[in-house]
Amino acid sequence: MSTPTETEIPLRQRVAENPQPALIWAAIGAVLIGVELGAILQVIAAIAGVIINLIPGDPGAAALSSLQESLKTIPTLVSRDFIPNQGYWDGSQWVGTFLGLSPAAAWAVRVVVVYAYAFAVLAWLWNGYKRYRQYYRRVDWTPRDDVVNRFRGHTWGQFGLVITIAFVVMAIFAPALGPTTMEENILQPYDYEVSYWDEETQSVETALVGEANLGSGSQGAGDENVGPMSYDDYGRFHPFGTATNGKDLFTQVVFGARISLTIAVVAMGIAGIIGLSLAMITAYYKGLADLAIVLASDSIQSLPVIMVLILMLVIFQGTWLKDLYDGAVLIILIFSLVYWPFIWRSIRGPAFQVSEQDWIDAAKSFGQTPGQVMRKHMAPYVFSYMLIYASLSLGGIIISVAGLSYLGLGIAPPTPEWGRLIADGQQYVASPSWHISLIPGVLITLVVTGLNAFGDGIRDAIDPQADTGDEAAATGGGA
């Protein structure tokens, strides 16, 4: 019997023959996961809770709620309990903060730790890829190496990657990054108390968070403004200042980033699945199937996207679908239905090119079903194109969500959303309370620019000869 060549040895056997690089990498990963195990389990439980809430009758909701409370007791590195910043001045020192630091310093330490942990995880993943290339990959070179090398030399794309990572970390670690919690400062402020140093009585007093918010609103000049990087009268630190209702603006911004990212990624994921599936069908069957989808796509694309969004939101206003997660589910569904034609148009041309290759005819002659041919031999070659145009569309969805919320049609209060923050602070742009609308506006601009730059970098890395014009890219391959 002939012995297998090096390229035929399975990955598991290659790792078994040289386990040290993989074991070192796995050990580092175990440490990174271990310090955040409690938070990871809480995320899994939260996702399970979302699924259960969609099921009539909420089966197992009570048991899941008890499990979530138990998971909160597991200590994690990047958590509010490990590095607390909410404390009070007792006349001589700060009480209840990390190492007795001021709330501002303790919050800054936690932010640094969060981003350091995030970049450590990314470095670990990149190191794992390099170890795989060096020790376990079957061949010395693949086309993916050229893609990675081209992107590493793409300065504009790297700028977009940094902005995108910062935005994603902000969304994922929103509970740890905020100087206060969502429940305490935004959702249920009258269920919590805040301790503070009263200069008049020279003693520590307590007040309901809701009452403290009423006295800390930013509505102009003088005493009616708590600007960025400042404390309110209750000793609470506000990195971005407060909103008009006295609630912490930074907390609303980071949780608004989570809402925007979730809507954009889920909606584009659904639209991508629809677009990719229809591209496979049109490229494989052609003829009437292609014509029918072309007509459906053209019908949707002929309508102004923002008008369709507004119309659908108005139609479903007051329905149970609009109430699901403050309108987020409805917005995701609408974006999915509106954006799939753009994805389909973008990958239709490459799908047709793949369908004409010799290996497709060979797969058919070997008796593979249409589903197998499309899934195994066509979709993998088109997926990279879908990834390019999906990444370029994320910024448009974020802007649209902000625009709808600005008009009062998007995410419903009290869930934070960047567009609604801009609307709330619009009348104070020319006053000392400029931060309410300007900071979310700058963040939207920066994030959308970063996502577009990242998408440009991916496109140029995957297909360096691609036409840089958005219109030409979107047409995919003609009718």
Side-chain angles (χ1 to χ4, degrees):
M1 295 180 61
S2 60
T3 58
T5 62
E6 183 179 354
T7 58
E8 295 174 341
I9 299 176
L11 177 61
R12 181 179 300 177
Q13 183 175 342
R14 280 176 274 148
V15 173
E17 293 175 353
N18 184 19
Q20 184 176 1
L23 289 175
I24 295 175
W25 184 78
I28 296 174
V31 173
L32 291 174
I33 294 175
V35 297
E36 278 295 292
L37 181 60
I40 295 172
L41 294 176
Q42 290 179 43
V43 170
I44 296 174
I47 295 174
V50 171
I51 298 174
I52 289 177
N53 289 336
L54 297 177
I55 302 175
D58 294 340
L64 183 62
S65 177
S66 176
L67 175 62
Q68 290 175 331
E69 291 299 323
S70 300
L71 293 176
K72 290 180 180 179
T73 61
I74 301 177
T76 58
L77 175 63
V78 291
S79 68
R80 310 183 60 81
D81 295 330
F82 187 76
I83 309 178
N85 73 288
Q86 289 180 283
Y88 60 90
W89 180 259
D90 68 352
S92 60
Q93 62 181 355
W94 289 102
V95 178
T97 60
F98 180 67
L99 300 178
L101 299 172
S102 66
W107 171 80
V109 169
R110 192 167 67 238
V111 170
V112 171
V113 170
V114 166
Y115 274 94
Y117 175 80
F119 280 98
V121 171
L122 292 174
W124 172 70
L125 294 174
W126 174 249
N127 180 261
Y129 172 69
K130 294 199 322 186
R131 286 173 182 265
Y132 169 74
R133 286 177 54 176
Q134 181 176 357
Y135 298 106
Y136 304 118
R137 196 167 64 180
R138 293 174 177 171
V139 295
D140 295 331
W141 174 89
T142 66
R144 187 182 297 111
D145 294 343
D146 288 343
V147 172
V148 173
N149 292 334
R150 282 194 292 265
F151 186 82
R152 293 178 69 180
H154 199 290
T155 306
W156 181 237
Q158 290 178 0
F159 163 79
L161 176 61
V162 172
I163 298 299
T164 301
I165 290 174
F167 173 59
V168 172
V169 171
M170 177 188 292
I172 293 176
F173 292 95
L177 288 174
T180 183
T181 65
M182 179 84 163
E183 292 77 12
E184 179 177 339
N185 195 252
I186 298 174
L187 299 180
Q188 300 169 328
Y190 287 94
D191 291 344
Y192 296 88
E193 291 185 342
V194 57
S195 299
Y196 65 99
W197 176 257
D198 192 324
E199 291 290 347
E200 294 183 0
T201 62
Q202 291 293 299
S203 62
V204 177
E205 305 289 345
T206 60
L208 294 175
V209 172
E211 295 177 352
N213 289 344
L214 293 177
S216 305
S218 296
Q219 299 181 2
D223 295 336
E224 295 184 344
N225 183 65
V226 179
M229 305 302 291
S230 62
Y231 291 83
D232 60 19
D233 293 337
Y234 297 87
R236 301 179 300 175
F237 176 67
H238 302 283
F240 285 174
T242 62
T244 55
N245 53 12
K247 297 178 179 180
D248 182 69
L249 185 62
F250 188 91
T251 303
Q252 298 187 69
V253 165
V254 293
F255 278 97
R258 172 176 284 192
I259 294 296
S260 299
L261 178 65
T262 301
I263 292 175
V265 171
V266 175
M268 192 49 59
I270 297 174
I273 293 173
I274 296 174
L276 180 62
S277 301
L278 295 179
M280 295 298 98
I281 293 174
T282 56
Y284 187 90
Y285 291 104
K286 303 179 178 67
L288 290 177
D290 183 43
L291 178 61
I293 297 176
V294 166
L295 292 175
S297 172
D298 289 346
S299 299
I300 296 176
Q301 287 185 297
S302 64
L303 302 173
V305 174
I306 191 66
M307 294 303 297
V308 173
L309 293 171
I310 293 175
L311 179 63
M312 296 297 290
L313 288 172
V314 171
I315 291 175
F316 285 96
Q317 194 79 23
T319 64
W320 65 271
L321 191 58
K322 182 66 170 67
D323 295 333
L324 283 176
Y325 295 98
D326 295 327
V329 173
L330 177 59
I331 293 175
I332 288 172
L333 293 176
I334 295 174
F335 275 116
S336 302
L337 294 175
V338 169
Y339 269 83
W340 74 258
F342 297 93
I343 298 297
W344 173 78
R345 278 284 184 184
S346 301
I347 61 179
R348 175 175 173 268
F352 267 98
Q353 294 175 1
V354 172
S355 68
E356 300 297 333
Q357 299 299 319
D358 293 338
W359 69 77
I360 301 299
D361 294 332
K364 294 178 182 178
S365 65
F366 275 98
Q368 293 194 3
T369 64
Q372 290 176 325
V373 174
M374 288 185 281
R375 185 177 66 256
K376 295 181 179 180
H377 305 291
M378 295 176 61
Y381 291 90
V382 180
F383 181 79
S384 59
Y385 291 93
M386 187 196 73
L387 181 64
I388 293 171
Y389 298 112
S391 63
L392 289 171
S393 300
L394 289 175
I397 294 182
I398 291 176
I399 288 180
S400 298
V401 172
L404 292 171
S405 297
Y406 177 83
L407 296 174
L409 298 173
I411 302 298
T415 302
E417 212 293 312
W418 289 357
R420 192 168 62 251
L421 291 175
I422 295 175
D424 291 342
Q426 182 178 3
Q427 60 180 317
Y428 303 109
V429 171
S431 73
S433 299
W434 52 267
H435 59 276
I436 302 174
S437 60
L438 185 61
I439 291 178
V442 170
L443 287 176
I444 291 174
T445 304
L446 186 62
V447 168
V448 171
T449 302
L451 288 171
N452 289 338
F454 183 43
D456 289 341
I458 294 177
R459 179 189 60 198
D460 294 342
I462 293 177
D463 190 2
Q465 297 179 347
D467 193 330
T468 57
D470 292 340
E471 182 176 344
T475 57

